[in-house]
């Protein structure tokens, strides 16, 4: 049991029927824009499910993930995470952005970059404890990146960047993972790592949504798909 801001939780029981994610009538505008980036989206995701989020570029996949993780304000609609408003349990959601959204010239070594994933638990002004470092090293090892720990993030290849990003997401130990195009332009080793991580998340009862361009090739990996086009759901 972990305590946060007067709220406590345990990781969800896979038999628990609470929805991991429930979205009703969600509409999101970017500041200054006259038309919505996504409109009237409805999503229900059972705890422990793994779903693909499918749609062409500009369909609204990243916008949906950013809204779920609290990075964009909602114009209207509602998002519930394990039955709670996002503000009450933001530490249970982790968003893995696209590699292109990260400033890879930020002056930080890989281990410290991965440790950023622990700050949601530690608070921004606390120093990482031995346990946090151990967790970060274990997650780096899991993605085949233990030897990268002292490397500056600007020196990583595309596949290494993706694996380090995955380690940073895993170290948060969240229950709902939102992975934005983790397979975009990566090498086969990184593809294997992503596949392994998804399998492990599923086996552990975590809920995973993956924005992907490769759904045709990976359909068997997911329990289903959510389709977006021009900011609206379609099938
Ligand atoms: P996808 O992830 O499916 O490629 P996005 O969520 O990035 O789609 O984009 C959905 C819509 O929102 C597109 O019309 C895109 O142009 C617009 N959009 C994305 N980011 C911004 C932004 N920062 N400001 C204004 N409009 C944006």
């Amino acid at each position: 049991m972990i305590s946060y801001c007067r709220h406590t939780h345990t990781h969800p029981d896979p038999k628990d029927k609470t929805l991991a994610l429930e979205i009703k009538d969600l509409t999101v505008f970017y500041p200054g824009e006259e038309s919505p980036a996504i409109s009237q989206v409805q999503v229900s995701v059972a705890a422990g499910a793994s779903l693909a989020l499918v749609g062409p570029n500009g369909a609204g996949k990243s916008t949906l993930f950013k809204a779920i993780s609290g990075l964009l304000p909602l114009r209207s609609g509602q998002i519930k995470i394990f039955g709670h408003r996002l503000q009450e349990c933001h530490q249970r959601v982790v968003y893995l952005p696209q590699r292109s959204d990260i400033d890879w010239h930020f002056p930080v070594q890989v281990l410290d970059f991965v440790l950023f994933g622990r700050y949601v638990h530690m608070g921004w002004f606390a120093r990482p404890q031995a346990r946090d470092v151990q967790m970060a090293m274990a997650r780096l090892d899991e993605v085949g990146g233990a030897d990268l720990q002292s490397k500056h993030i600007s020196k990583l290849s595309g596949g290494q960047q993706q694996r380090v990003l995955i380690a940073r997401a895993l170290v948060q130990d969240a229950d709902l993972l939102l992975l934005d195009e983790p397979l975009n332009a990566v090498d086969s080793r990184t593809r294997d790592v992503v596949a392994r991580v998804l399998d492990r998340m599923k086996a552990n009862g975590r809920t995973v949504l993956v924005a992907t361009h490769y759904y045709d090739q990976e359909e068997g990996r997911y329990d289903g798909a959510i389709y977006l086009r021009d900011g609206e759901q379609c099938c």
Side-chain angles (χ1 to χ4, degrees), residues 5-70:
C5 316
R6 291 174 282 115
H7 299 281
T8 56
H9 86 268
T10 51
H11 287 305
D13 178 343
K15 289 188 240 88
D16 185 353
K17 294 289 175 253
T18 307
L19 291 173
L21 176 65
E22 190 175 17
I23 300 179
K24 288 188 181 152
D25 302 325
L26 177 66
T27 297
V28 174
F29 282 72
Y30 281 94
E33 296 295 325
E34 288 181 359
S35 48
I38 51 174
S39 173
Q40 293 293 309
V41 172
Q42 325 273 346
V43 172
S44 293
V45 182
S50 86
L51 294 185
L53 180 58
V54 183
N57 283 337
K61 303 183 296 298
S62 301
T63 304
L64 180 59
F65 279 171
K66 287 174 185 166
I68 297 169
S69 42

Side-chain angles (χ1 to χ4, degrees), residues 141-144 159 162-163 166 170 179 182-184 186-201 218 221:
D141 197 29
E142 185 176 343
V143 300
Q162 190 62 67
R163 284 186 281 127
I166 290 171
L170 292 178
L179 312 184
L183 297 174
N184 217 359
V186 293
D187 51 275
S188 60
R189 181 175 178 201
T190 303
R191 281 173 175 276
D192 290 346
V193 165
V194 173
R196 222 173 40 238
V197 164
L198 292 182
D199 288 346
R200 192 176 70 84
M201 292 289 109
E218 304 166 341
R221 181 163 293 288

